[in-house]
mmCIF file with all atom_site columns, all heavy atoms in Angstrom:
data_model
loop_
_atom_site.group_PDB
_atom_site.id
_atom_site.type_symbol
_atom_site.label_atom_id
_atom_site.label_alt_id
_atom_site.label_comp_id
_atom_site.label_asym_id
_atom_site.label_entity_id
_atom_site.label_seq_id
_atom_site.pdbx_PDB_ins_code
_atom_site.Cartn_x
_atom_site.Cartn_y
_atom_site.Cartn_z
_atom_site.occupancy
_atom_site.B_iso_or_equiv
_atom_site.pdbx_formal_charge
_atom_site.auth_seq_id
_atom_site.auth_comp_id
_atom_site.auth_asym_id
_atom_site.auth_atom_id
_atom_site.pdbx_PDB_model_num
ATOM 1  N N   . THR T 1 197 ? 194.089 249.126 304.657 1.00 95.00 ? 214 THR T N   1
ATOM 2  C CA  . THR T 1 197 ? 194.220 249.816 303.372 1.00 95.00 ? 214 THR T CA  1
ATOM 3  C C   . THR T 1 197 ? 194.747 251.240 303.508 1.00 95.00 ? 214 THR T C   1
ATOM 4  O O   . THR T 1 197 ? 195.174 251.832 302.523 1.00 95.00 ? 214 THR T O   1
ATOM 5  C CB  . THR T 1 197 ? 192.865 249.847 302.649 1.00 95.00 ? 214 THR T CB  1
ATOM 6  O OG1 . THR T 1 197 ? 191.869 250.377 303.538 1.00 95.00 ? 214 THR T OG1 1
ATOM 7  C CG2 . THR T 1 197 ? 192.448 248.445 302.231 1.00 95.00 ? 214 THR T CG2 1
ATOM 8  N N   . GLY T 1 198 ? 194.713 251.788 304.726 1.00 95.00 ? 215 GLY T N   1
ATOM 9  C CA  . GLY T 1 198 ? 195.256 253.128 304.928 1.00 95.00 ? 215 GLY T CA  1
ATOM 10 C C   . GLY T 1 198 ? 196.770 253.191 304.825 1.00 95.00 ? 215 GLY T C   1
ATOM 11 O O   . GLY T 1 198 ? 197.338 254.278 304.657 1.00 95.00 ? 215 GLY T O   1
ATOM 12 N N   . ILE T 1 199 ? 197.433 252.064 304.931 1.00 97.00 ? 216 ILE T N   1
ATOM 13 C CA  . ILE T 1 199 ? 198.887 252.014 304.744 1.00 97.00 ? 216 ILE T CA  1
ATOM 14 C C   . ILE T 1 199 ? 199.149 251.682 303.296 1.00 97.00 ? 216 ILE T C   1
ATOM 15 O O   . ILE T 1 199 ? 198.786 250.608 302.807 1.00 97.00 ? 216 ILE T O   1
ATOM 16 C CB  . ILE T 1 199 ? 199.546 250.945 305.652 1.00 97.00 ? 216 ILE T CB  1
ATOM 17 C CG1 . ILE T 1 199 ? 199.142 251.162 307.105 1.00 97.00 ? 216 ILE T CG1 1
ATOM 18 C CG2 . ILE T 1 199 ? 201.063 250.977 305.490 1.00 97.00 ? 216 ILE T CG2 1
ATOM 19 C CD1 . ILE T 1 199 ? 199.615 252.451 307.701 1.00 97.00 ? 216 ILE T CD1 1
ATOM 20 N N   . ARG T 1 200 ? 199.780 252.584 302.578 1.00 96.00 ? 217 ARG T N   1
ATOM 21 C CA  . ARG T 1 200 ? 200.018 252.410 301.149 1.00 96.00 ? 217 ARG T CA  1
ATOM 22 C C   . ARG T 1 200 ? 201.407 251.811 300.954 1.00 96.00 ? 217 ARG T C   1
ATOM 23 O O   . ARG T 1 200 ? 202.421 252.446 301.248 1.00 96.00 ? 217 ARG T O   1
ATOM 24 C CB  . ARG T 1 200 ? 199.906 253.743 300.411 1.00 96.00 ? 217 ARG T CB  1
ATOM 25 C CG  . ARG T 1 200 ? 198.647 254.548 300.736 1.00 96.00 ? 217 ARG T CG  1
ATOM 26 C CD  . ARG T 1 200 ? 197.396 253.766 300.430 1.00 96.00 ? 217 ARG T CD  1
ATOM 27 N NE  . ARG T 1 200 ? 197.256 253.520 299.001 1.00 96.00 ? 217 ARG T NE  1
ATOM 28 C CZ  . ARG T 1 200 ? 196.508 252.568 298.482 1.00 96.00 ? 217 ARG T CZ  1
ATOM 29 N NH1 . ARG T 1 200 ? 195.849 251.742 299.279 1.00 96.00 ? 217 ARG T NH1 1
ATOM 30 N NH2 . ARG T 1 200 ? 196.427 252.428 297.178 1.00 96.00 ? 217 ARG T NH2 1
ATOM 31 N N   . ALA T 1 201 ? 201.457 250.597 300.445 1.00 98.00 ? 218 ALA T N   1
ATOM 32 C CA  . ALA T 1 201 ? 202.732 249.916 300.229 1.00 98.00 ? 218 ALA T CA  1
ATOM 33 C C   . ALA T 1 201 ? 202.497 248.739 299.298 1.00 98.00 ? 218 ALA T C   1
ATOM 34 O O   . ALA T 1 201 ? 201.497 248.030 299.429 1.00 98.00 ? 218 ALA T O   1
ATOM 35 C CB  . ALA T 1 201 ? 203.331 249.434 301.546 1.00 98.00 ? 218 ALA T CB  1
ATOM 36 N N   . ALA T 1 202 ? 203.404 248.526 298.360 1.00 98.00 ? 219 ALA T N   1
ATOM 37 C CA  . ALA T 1 202 ? 203.277 247.418 297.417 1.00 98.00 ? 219 ALA T CA  1
ATOM 38 C C   . ALA T 1 202 ? 204.658 247.043 296.906 1.00 98.00 ? 219 ALA T C   1
ATOM 39 O O   . ALA T 1 202 ? 205.656 247.733 297.168 1.00 98.00 ? 219 ALA T O   1
ATOM 40 C CB  . ALA T 1 202 ? 202.364 247.808 296.255 1.00 98.00 ? 219 ALA T CB  1
ATOM 41 N N   . TYR T 1 203 ? 204.694 245.940 296.174 1.00 98.00 ? 220 TYR T N   1
ATOM 42 C CA  . TYR T 1 203 ? 205.939 245.533 295.528 1.00 98.00 ? 220 TYR T CA  1
ATOM 43 C C   . TYR T 1 203 ? 205.611 244.647 294.344 1.00 98.00 ? 220 TYR T C   1
ATOM 44 O O   . TYR T 1 203 ? 204.507 244.102 294.231 1.00 98.00 ? 220 TYR T O   1
ATOM 45 C CB  . TYR T 1 203 ? 206.855 244.785 296.507 1.00 98.00 ? 220 TYR T CB  1
ATOM 46 C CG  . TYR T 1 203 ? 206.288 243.492 297.053 1.00 98.00 ? 220 TYR T CG  1
ATOM 47 C CD1 . TYR T 1 203 ? 206.622 242.258 296.483 1.00 98.00 ? 220 TYR T CD1 1
ATOM 48 C CD2 . TYR T 1 203 ? 205.430 243.495 298.153 1.00 98.00 ? 220 TYR T CD2 1
ATOM 49 C CE1 . TYR T 1 203 ? 206.099 241.076 296.991 1.00 98.00 ? 220 TYR T CE1 1
ATOM 50 C CE2 . TYR T 1 203 ? 204.907 242.317 298.671 1.00 98.00 ? 220 TYR T CE2 1
ATOM 51 C CZ  . TYR T 1 203 ? 205.242 241.111 298.088 1.00 98.00 ? 220 TYR T CZ  1
ATOM 52 O OH  . TYR T 1 203 ? 204.716 239.933 298.581 1.00 98.00 ? 220 TYR T OH  1
ATOM 53 N N   . ALA T 1 204 ? 206.570 244.545 293.455 1.00 98.00 ? 221 ALA T N   1
ATOM 54 C CA  . ALA T 1 204 ? 206.421 243.684 292.286 1.00 98.00 ? 221 ALA T CA  1
ATOM 55 C C   . ALA T 1 204 ? 207.589 242.719 292.230 1.00 98.00 ? 221 ALA T C   1
ATOM 56 O O   . ALA T 1 204 ? 208.706 243.053 292.631 1.00 98.00 ? 221 ALA T O   1
ATOM 57 C CB  . ALA T 1 204 ? 206.355 244.516 291.008 1.00 98.00 ? 221 ALA T CB  1
ATOM 58 N N   . ILE T 1 205 ? 207.302 241.514 291.747 1.00 98.00 ? 222 ILE T N   1
ATOM 59 C CA  . ILE T 1 205 ? 208.347 240.536 291.449 1.00 98.00 ? 222 ILE T CA  1
ATOM 60 C C   . ILE T 1 205 ? 208.548 240.565 289.949 1.00 98.00 ? 222 ILE T C   1
ATOM 61 O O   . ILE T 1 205 ? 207.632 240.275 289.176 1.00 98.00 ? 222 ILE T O   1
ATOM 62 C CB  . ILE T 1 205 ? 207.949 239.124 291.909 1.00 98.00 ? 222 ILE T CB  1
ATOM 63 C CG1 . ILE T 1 205 ? 207.621 239.126 293.408 1.00 98.00 ? 222 ILE T CG1 1
ATOM 64 C CG2 . ILE T 1 205 ? 209.063 238.129 291.601 1.00 98.00 ? 222 ILE T CG2 1
ATOM 65 C CD1 . ILE T 1 205 ? 207.067 237.804 293.897 1.00 98.00 ? 222 ILE T CD1 1
#
Side-chain angles (χ1 to χ4, degrees):
T214 52
I216 307 296
R217 311 302 294 160
Y220 62 97
I222 303 173

